[in-house]
Amino acid sequence: MTEKRRAPAGAAVLRGEITSAIRAAVMQELAEVGYGRLSIEAVARRAGVSKTAIYRRWRSKLDLVLDMVSAVAGRNIPLLDTGSLLGDLEILLHVMARALRHRLAAQIIPDLLAEAARNPQIAEKLQAALDDYQQAIGRILIGRAVERGELSPDTDRRAAVDLIVGPVYWRMAISRAPLESTEVPRMAAAIVAALRVACVGPVRDEVEV
Amino acid sequence: MTEKRRAPAGAAVLRGEITSAIRAAVMQELAEVGYGRLSIEAVARRAGVSKTAIYRRWRSKLDLVLDMVSAVAGRNIPLLDTGSLLGDLEILLHVMARALRHRLAAQIIPDLLAEAARNPQIAEKLQAALDDYQQAIGRILIGRAVERGELSPDTDRRAAVDLIVGPVYWRMAISRAPLESTEVPRMAAAIVAALRVACVGPVRDEVEV
DNA sequence: GAACGTCGGGACGCAACCGTACCGTCGTTG
DNA sequence: CAACGACGGTACGGTTGCGTCCCGACGTTC
């Protein structure tokens, strides 16, 4: 019971440099072969590390990836207040575009999102992060615009998020065409126009004859 | 040289029912484990067929999937002319939404798109299909609207496609939230508003102070 | 009705990977 | 300075999948 336990010391401590090497290797490997083909052996090889080193830190491949996901997804997105919906949107689009311009991100994100569709554990972590992200946009960005009077109070947050995030994601992650920074203002302006219209009730809509 | 070759007959002919079974099994398997983990053995098991049956028809796993992709992606999208941009958009969105509501499609499409980012062969086939799709939208849908005078002639086709396709894809394939049919008209209206603004030159844009 | 020739199925060798057990190493702690 | 104890690395059995080969079955054609 009252065992005297000496704290691990000396060589008996996880070396952070190795943990980092593994993390980096996982990202590389994830981008190169995807989650489906991700193998611990390959990660170990790439990191110049033994498999045991990995299994000591994470129980399984799933654990490993889940940990990476929460580490990356946990970051809060800073949503600066520029004083106008258009300005806020430009900033947000620039941030997203910059993120998706990174080769690793552009490959890993769609891959994990696809994997989430069949892996409940990944889905949970990823959807949580995604929901945070979307809620943040909806609450902060749209919320501010409503306060300013730029948008109607009964704007549908979810629909708004789709209109904001969809185009840039489609362009960069699916269509995989570059999005020049100079195009961002135009896209932002278009989205503002869309949002102004999107506030009307969901069901009722007149059809022109 | 002048060999007399009797045409294959009798049991010596590919049985279409088996080919179909394999195709169906591939779709199921693709949805369940993704391209990365797709195995010929599993496909054969699920189809109730021998591996040889598959290898007789396709040289490899890649060939198999490429064939499926071109078969599905080859279909032309009917873009009905309703007489107005708004009407055309509603139809298009309904078609996309219906397609993405199918479980198989909603899982396979994002998976293959992610895979395309690292597999040149799949990327080629898929990007070709995607480009066709986008060009069709750009040319027909936007083209008609321009002719009608609903949009400016110098509307950027690519940017327009992003605004049209992005939101619905994000909503259904990424965010994985249901898109009610009743929401489509509103989304279409929002997109029309966006498109009207998106025609201004890409670079120049005044910033409100 | 006999011959033909491809069919589907089972088995094989090979390769990759999983997760674990063991072993010598190393640096701190008392 | 000696002992502790977790460290990283190697080696291992088991599993899975790939692509191929050979076999008996089968139905049409002559």
Side-chain angles (χ1 to χ4, degrees):
Chain A
M1 294 294 182
T2 52
E3 293 272 346
K4 212 174 184 179
R5 273 306 226 199
R6 207 160 82 172
V13 156
L14 284 176
R15 279 160 61 191
E17 43 187 308
I18 294 205
T19 306
S20 308
I22 296 174
R23 287 205 140 93
V26 170
M27 298 294 281
Q28 299 278 344
E29 206 65 24
L30 218 43
E32 211 156 284
V33 303
Y35 179 82
R37 283 207 184 291
L38 184 72
S39 83
I40 301 287
E41 302 233 15
V43 170
R45 268 198 303 271
R46 188 187 285 268
V49 151
S50 78
K51 274 197 299 178
T52 320
I54 299 176
Y55 279 108
R56 274 199 212 289
R57 290 167 168 81
W58 296 276
R59 194 181 322 207
S60 67
K61 162 174 143 180
L62 182 60
D63 249 45
L64 174 53
V65 172
L66 285 181
D67 184 39
M68 308 277 303
V69 169
S70 21
V72 175
R75 300 181 196 162
N76 291 20
I77 336 99
L79 291 174
L80 295 177
D81 190 344
T82 64
S84 77
L85 175 58
L86 180 63
D88 287 2
L89 266 178
E90 286 189 16
I91 299 281
L92 175 61
L93 292 183
H94 268 123
V95 169
M96 285 190 62
R98 164 175 296 193
L100 287 175
R101 259 194 276 272
H102 288 316
R103 215 193 89 259
L104 285 186
Q107 296 217 341
I108 293 178
I109 293 174
D111 186 89
L112 287 184
L113 283 172
E115 181 64 26
R118 67 179 74 94
N119 189 320
Q121 308 241 46
I122 291 187
E124 191 184 353
K125 271 266 193 313
L126 222 51
Q127 284 292 338
L130 207 60
D131 287 352
D132 282 355
Y133 189 68
Q134 300 193 94
Q135 272 199 17
I137 293 178
R139 198 160 28 79
I140 302 183
L141 219 147
I142 306 297
R144 276 194 214 128
V146 170
E147 286 175 17
R148 288 190 204 104
E150 292 183 283
L151 292 178
S152 157
D154 52 338
T155 299
D156 182 334
R157 304 297 162 94
R158 174 138 70 179
V161 171
D162 297 339
L163 288 168
I164 294 170
V165 180
V168 59
Y169 184 82
W170 174 268
R171 171 67 157 269
M172 304 196 68
I174 308 299
S175 187
R176 297 200 178 268
L179 178 68
E180 305 299 332
S181 295
T182 52
E183 297 182 61
V184 168
R186 190 181 55 174
M187 186 180 270
I191 293 173
V192 169
L195 292 177
R196 292 224 176 89
V197 173
C199 61
V200 300
V203 186
R204 215 145 321 270
D205 192 68
E206 302 176 20
V207 179
E208 306 174 13
V209 184
Chain B
M1 293 295 179
T2 52
E3 292 272 352
K4 213 173 180 180
R5 274 306 229 198
R6 206 160 85 172
V13 156
L14 284 176
R15 280 162 58 191
E17 42 186 307
I18 295 208
T19 306
S20 307
I22 296 173
R23 287 206 141 92
V26 170
M27 298 294 281
Q28 299 279 344
E29 206 66 21
L30 218 42
E32 210 155 284
V33 303
Y35 178 84
R37 282 206 185 290
L38 183 72
S39 82
I40 300 287
E41 304 234 12
V43 170
R45 266 197 304 271
R46 186 188 286 268
V49 147
S50 78
K51 273 197 302 176
T52 319
I54 299 177
Y55 279 108
R56 276 200 210 287
R57 291 165 169 82
W58 297 276
R59 196 180 320 200
S60 68
K61 164 174 142 181
L62 182 60
D63 250 45
L64 174 53
V65 173
L66 286 181
D67 184 39
M68 308 277 303
V69 169
S70 20
V72 175
R75 300 181 196 160
N76 290 18
I77 335 99
L79 291 173
L80 295 177
D81 190 344
T82 64
S84 77
L85 175 59
L86 180 62
D88 288 1
L89 266 179
E90 285 189 16
I91 300 282
L92 175 63
L93 291 182
H94 269 123
V95 170
M96 285 190 63
R98 164 174 298 195
L100 287 175
R101 258 192 279 270
H102 288 317
R103 215 193 91 260
L104 285 185
Q107 295 216 343
I108 292 178
I109 292 174
D111 186 88
L112 287 185
L113 283 171
E115 181 65 26
R118 68 178 73 94
N119 189 321
Q121 309 242 45
I122 292 187
E124 191 184 351
K125 270 266 192 315
L126 221 53
Q127 285 293 336
L130 207 62
D131 287 352
D132 282 356
Y133 189 68
Q134 299 193 93
Q135 272 199 18
I137 294 178
R139 199 160 26 80
I140 302 182
L141 221 148
I142 306 298
R144 275 193 217 130
V146 170
E147 286 175 17
R148 287 190 204 104
E150 291 184 284
L151 292 179
S152 157
D154 53 336
T155 299
D156 182 334
R157 305 295 162 95
R158 172 137 72 182
V161 171
D162 297 339
L163 289 168
I164 294 170
V165 180
V168 60
Y169 183 82
W170 174 268
R171 172 66 156 269
M172 303 196 69
I174 309 300
S175 186
R176 297 199 177 267
L179 178 67
E180 305 300 332
S181 295
T182 52
E183 296 183 62
V184 167
R186 189 180 56 175
M187 187 181 269
I191 293 174
V192 168
L195 292 178
R196 291 226 176 87
V197 173
C199 60
V200 300
V203 186
R204 216 145 321 269
D205 191 70
E206 302 176 19
V207 180
E208 308 173 10
V209 185

